[in-house]
Amino acid sequence: MPILEVSNISKSFGSTEVLKDINFDMEKGRTLALIGSSGSGKTTLLRCLNFLETPDTGVIKVNDEVLFDASDPNTNKDSEKRIKRLHFGLVFQSFNLFPQHNVLKNVTLAKELLAKERPDYKQNKKQILGEIEEQAREVLDSVGLSEKMLNYPHELSGGQQQRVAIARALVLSPDIICFDEPTSALDPELTGEVLKVIKGLAERETTMIIVTHEMQFARDVSDVVLFMDDGRIVEQGPPEEVFGNPKEERTKHFLERYFEG
């Protein structure tokens, strides 16, 4: 059974149709790369999956649970969106760290706020916060930042800040982690350290959707590639097929422009 099923998703902003009948699914432990020119709808699709935008049509399921159905208003209540977002972690292009907090606090803060809603929080506060901190330390160690836990964002390189953002997403234990061009805000020399962390997550079979312009990385790390153009998925398949023998002319032209450049 797929961990994620996306059916007939469309989204317009005014008269501009940004997503047009998007359909795909993915299996647990797989990495899906979303590629395509700027403006093709990739980021809007991620925002719809994370309930930062509301699709006009379609259905989104995670683990066979309907999280969103455009035809059913009961699945689109604002009061439930925050809970539904917990199925997805989102790492933005910009790091969006809190400058007033150190690295450890940036990673633990969201989970601490969620913990306050637990019925046993007051009774077991010390133990719960201790467990959250322990998990955060383990995650930070896994992304190579164990020595930077007490540093503040302004004391870190761009690559280190993005790794903090990845750790913040991981500590919430989402079903799927989404990356929206995670290296676009980085200098070229810092890109490699972030891609190395993401590749390590793929090797540990973390379920991920990655919007990226790093074609070589997409080819090396993904299990499935979706090529988007003009709001549609025009090609999807394993990377060796999409990169090695694309069926659609639009895909061929896009890849030729990239690799020739």
Side-chain angles (χ1 to χ4, degrees):
M1 180 184 72
I3 190 172
L4 174 66
E5 299 172 78
V6 177
S7 306
N8 309 115
I9 293 293
S10 298
K11 176 66 179 177
S12 296
F13 296 100
S15 60
T16 303
E17 195 174 9
V18 180
L19 297 177
K20 306 171 183 177
D21 195 29
I22 299 294
N23 295 272
F24 71 93
D25 57 43
M26 66 182 300
E27 302 294 329
K28 185 177 181 180
R30 298 300 183 95
T31 297
L32 185 152
L34 272 173
I35 65 172
S37 302
S38 296
S40 60
K42 305 183 302 296
T43 293
T44 300
L45 176 55
L46 281 194
R47 290 179 64 84
C48 285
L49 293 177
N50 284 271
F51 303 98
L52 298 173
E53 301 287 353
T54 302
D56 301 320
T57 67
V59 177
I60 299 170
K61 293 182 180 181
V62 173
N63 289 321
D64 208 34
E65 175 189 356
V66 176
L67 299 187
F68 173 83
D69 184 343
S71 65
D72 182 0
N74 290 324
T75 67
N76 193 28
K77 295 177 180 178
D78 288 338
S79 59
E80 297 179 3
K81 284 183 178 180
R82 185 169 65 87
I83 297 172
K84 292 177 179 180
R85 287 187 187 119
L86 296 175
H87 290 280
F88 298 89
L90 180 57
V91 179
F92 297 90
Q93 297 178 29
S94 54
F95 319 124
N96 293 338
L97 302 180
F98 294 105
Q100 71 272 31
H101 295 314
N102 64 26
V103 166
L104 185 61
K105 189 66 174 181
N106 265 281
V107 174
T108 61
L109 183 59
K111 194 155 189 177
E112 288 173 355
L113 293 174
L114 288 170
K116 290 181 179 180
E117 300 177 11
R118 290 174 50 170
D120 64 336
Y121 179 75
K122 288 185 178 179
Q123 181 179 355
N124 300 310
K125 178 179 177 180
K126 184 175 181 181
Q127 177 184 344
I128 290 170
L129 294 181
E131 290 172 352
I132 292 172
E133 180 174 327
E134 182 180 358
Q135 183 188 11
R137 288 177 177 274
E138 291 174 357
V139 172
L140 283 165
D141 183 59
S142 74
V143 299
L145 290 173
S146 58
E147 296 181 357
K148 298 291 184 179
M149 293 185 191
L150 300 182
N151 289 77
Y152 287 82
H154 74 273
E155 300 174 307
L156 306 178
S157 69
Q160 290 170 335
Q161 290 185 60
Q162 190 62 299
R163 283 188 278 155
V164 175
I166 293 171
R168 179 176 57 189
L170 286 170
V171 84
L172 291 171
S173 303
D175 294 301
I176 303 162
I177 298 184
C178 301
F179 295 86
D180 186 12
E181 298 185 27
T183 61
S184 64
L186 301 177
D187 294 330
E189 62 268 24
L190 299 176
T191 295
E193 66 182 70
V194 173
L195 295 182
K196 182 179 178 181
V197 169
I198 298 173
K199 186 175 182 180
L201 294 175
E203 291 171 350
R204 296 196 292 275
E205 298 187 346
T206 304
T207 310
M208 297 185 289
I209 299 175
I210 306 171
V211 171
T212 183
H213 287 292
E214 300 282 344
M215 293 301 106
Q216 187 64 53
F217 176 73
R219 180 161 60 183
D220 292 344
V221 79
S222 64
D223 300 293
V224 179
V225 177
L226 304 187
F227 172 71
M228 291 187 67
D229 185 65
D230 191 30
R232 300 183 186 276
I233 295 173
V234 298
E235 186 144 16
Q236 57 182 303
E240 58 269 21
E241 290 184 8
V242 174
F243 286 99
N245 187 29
K247 300 179 180 66
E248 299 290 333
E249 286 299 319
R250 284 178 287 182
T251 315
K252 291 179 183 178
H253 292 159
F254 173 80
L255 294 172
E256 285 171 358
R257 290 197 305 272
Y258 175 83
F259 286 108
E260 286 175 1

